[in-house]
Amino acid sequence: MFEIRIICDDHDADRIKTALAEVFDTGPPRLYPARDTRRTRLYITADHQPTTPESE
């Protein structure tokens, strides 16, 4: 398990959350304002998706 931190524009946060959820097994995202107050800090706890026989 690992943590991903991304600083992004507010309007990109949903697209990034969706893309990461497709690749990793993710927990609930946490959003905070960035220090510059124009962007968002996005924190997501993630793990590799379990392998299935179909994916091998």
Side-chain angles (χ1 to χ4, degrees):
M1 185 174 289
F2 53 96
E3 178 128 322
I4 300 169
R5 180 183 66 169
I6 299 171
I7 298 174
C8 61
D9 291 329
D10 292 336
H11 64 274
D12 289 332
D14 286 334
R15 183 176 55 83
I16 293 168
K17 290 185 292 188
T18 301
L20 289 173
E22 290 175 359
V23 179
F24 298 106
D25 183 15
T26 60
R30 299 175 317 279
L31 291 107
Y32 303 101
R35 290 188 178 134
D36 66 8
T37 67
R38 294 180 313 212
R39 297 178 292 172
T40 298
R41 285 183 294 150
L42 175 62
Y43 292 88
I44 297 177
T45 302
D47 202 352
H48 297 281
Q49 289 185 344
T51 58
T52 60
E54 298 85 28
S55 67
E56 294 180 347

